């Protein structure tokens, strides 16, 4: 049978038809809401064609074997509902993550290295708007206690609640909030890029500041799950075991947590009576980029809007990893009288001219003129194929096949006016090394390499050259075989013995 509301196919025994129909219609209301959101998302793409990413409900729509046959082996993305209903991080009263209490209870003063962007909603972007098209603005990294990171989201939540109730925030009426904003915290810039110049080293000393200084900054934590306490690791589990056995152990896993887009710094910034104000855009965006691993990405709180470009059409993105590299920093500043202090944003240019992955300046929500300018006229004029678009809500899992270019807009529960849904957007993903379509993926990998060199915004190192076809094929197959052997042995990504503050940073999702 097929539901008239959500068009989902389902099987019932005849005596159970009334109950099954009611249950399906209830679920259909949720799917209808998501479908409406997807239509709204498609409208933001202008005249560029798009089609929704297929949604399936686990387990009824995915008997074992179907995921591999129709999706993994075909490099076909999909969104799976109810795949992680057994995750304690979503539903357990003690282990749920959305409030942040679980992390604070287990980590407390343990420091986290948090990516941050002080002024732009794009967590990583080329400097076309700033008149520096040959520069990639990389996120800064700020080391802070775990409690402080989650407190920043809660402070935003409290400020939004008071603005909703009272229209503005008068700290004279809210001594508790004022005390929380004035709380001292020690933070430290940490390098994301190579630092060769001695003058830049001064920015990497520990800094004492107030929580109010950090509230306007957009933070995006990308945390290696294997560096976290076992209790937190047990709150989530690799999703692929329910879908197919062949992937083996995951090669890597990360938790992604953000407080949303930048807010406006109050004036004067050093005043103990001023309150940060929400920015015009509450979302945070990642550049179009691609990964060479299979990805299952699950949302725990907040929402994600996803736009995908198939691997064979990545040329329209004008992506490259070769450019000057600039990293954001936070630096202590003084008031004009010198009697008060606050944090301001600055940056430094590294001698490094290569990013860890290819990035694109195309922003699918921006005007055709803007995108033509940054894509050498390719977007939207050469987008003669449908983009794939989808909405991820808590409990949804996106299957993102290897080499698919993806652009993601992340919203916190606060952005949806859900003040009781937690303060931060949270998600967890696991990566597996591909076992299907090796030949096609080798072609996509080689094409990406040559496109990156062709689109370079600064000349690559003269001693380096684009890979030759046969050499690239050998290297690709050798690496893939090695990674698959590790995954098949069941070892996967070994638990990390380093402290969280030492973890390598990866591009945001």
């Amino acid at each position: 049978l097929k539901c008239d509301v959500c068009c989902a196919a389902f099987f019932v025994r005849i005596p159970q038809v009334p109950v099954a129909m009611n249950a399906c219609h209830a679920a259909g209301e949720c799917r209808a809401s998501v479908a409406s959101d997807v239509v709204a998302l498609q409208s933001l793409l202008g005249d560029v064609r798009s089609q929704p990413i297929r949604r399936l409900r686990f387990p009824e729509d995915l008997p074992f074997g179907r995921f591999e046959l129709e999706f993994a082996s075909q490099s076909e993305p999909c969104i799976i509902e109810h795949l992680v209903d057994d995750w304690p991080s979503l539903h357990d009263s003690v282990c749920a993550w959305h409030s942040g209490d679980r992390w604070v209870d287990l980590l407390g003063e343990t420091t986290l290295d948090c990516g941050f962007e002080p002024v732009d909603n794009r967590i990583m972007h080329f400097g076309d708007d700033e008149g520096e098209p040959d520069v990639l603005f990389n996120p800064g990294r700020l080391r802070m206690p775990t409690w402080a990171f989650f407190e920043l989201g809660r402070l935003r939540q409290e400020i939004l609640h008071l603005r909703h109730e009272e229209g503005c925030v008068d700290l004279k009426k809210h001594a508790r909030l004022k005390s929380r904003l004035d709380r001292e915290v020690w933070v430290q810039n940490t390098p994301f890029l190579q630092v060769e110049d001695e003058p830049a080293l001064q920015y990497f000393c520990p800094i004492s500041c107030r929580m109010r200084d950090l509230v306007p900054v957009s933070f995006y934590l990308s945390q290696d799950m294997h560096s976290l306490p076992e209790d937190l690791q047990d709150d989530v589990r690799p999703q692929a075991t329910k879908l197919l056995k062949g992937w083996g152990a995951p090669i890597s896993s990360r938790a992604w947590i953000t407080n949303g887009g930048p807010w406006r710094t109050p004036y004067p910034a050093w005043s103990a009576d001023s309150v940060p104000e929400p920015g015009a855009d509450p979302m945070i965006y990642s550049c179009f980029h691609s990964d060479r691993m299979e990805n299952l990405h699950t949302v725990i709180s907040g929402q994600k809007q996803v736009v995908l470009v198939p691997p064979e059409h990545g040329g329209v993105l004008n992506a490259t990893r070769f450019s000057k590299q600039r990293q954001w920093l936070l630096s202590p500043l003084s008031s004009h009288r010198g009697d008060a202090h606050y944090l301001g944003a600055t940056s430094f240019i590294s001698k490094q001219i290569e990013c860890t992955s290819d990035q694109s300046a195309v922003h699918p929500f921006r005007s055709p003129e803007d995108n033509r300018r940054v894509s050498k006229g390719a977007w939207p004029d050469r987008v003669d194929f449908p983009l794939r678009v989808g909405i991820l809500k808590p409990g949804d899992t996106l299957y993102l096949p290897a080499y698919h270019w993806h652009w993601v807009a992340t919203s916190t529960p606060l952005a949806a006016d859900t003040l009781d849904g937690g303060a931060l957007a949270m998600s967890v993903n696991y990566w597996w090394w591909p076992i299907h379509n090796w030949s096609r993926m080798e072609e996509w990998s080689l094409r990406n390499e040559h496109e990156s060199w062709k689109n370079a915004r600064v000349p690559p190192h003269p001693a380096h050259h684009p890979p030759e076809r046969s050499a690239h094929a050998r290297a690709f197959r050798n690496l893939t075989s090695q990674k698959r052997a590790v995954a098949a042995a069941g070892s996967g990504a070994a638990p990390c013995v380093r402290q969280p503050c030492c973890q390598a940073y990866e591009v945001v999702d």
Side-chain angles (χ1 to χ4, degrees), residues 270 333-342:
W270 56 85
L333 300 173
S334 299
S335 63
H336 61 280
R337 293 180 179 177
D339 58 349
H341 303 278
Y342 62 103

Side-chain angles (χ1 to χ4, degrees), residues 97 225-237 430 495:
W97 282 14
M225 285 297 301
H226 291 284
S227 72
L228 296 172
E230 288 187 6
D231 286 346
L232 278 177
Q233 295 185 47
D234 291 341
D235 293 342
V236 297
R237 304 180 181 111
Y430 290 86

Side-chain angles (χ1 to χ4, degrees), residues 269-284:
W270 56 85
S271 172
D273 296 320
S274 57
V275 181
E277 298 179 354
D281 187 346
M283 292 193 287
I284 191 155

Side-chain angles (χ1 to χ4, degrees), residues 134-147:
D134 58 348
V135 173
L136 180 66
F137 284 76
N138 290 269
R141 277 203 301 183
L142 198 69
R143 184 168 298 164
M144 69 176 74
T146 300
W147 67 262

Side-chain angles (χ1 to χ4, degrees), residues 39-50 363-368 371 379-380 387 389:
V39 171
L41 170 58
Q42 290 178 291
S43 70
L44 296 174
L45 303 176
D47 295 331
V48 177
R49 288 191 298 133
S50 63
H363 189 307
F365 291 176
R366 288 194 166 187
S367 69
N371 284 321
W379 189 292
L387 306 178
V389 298

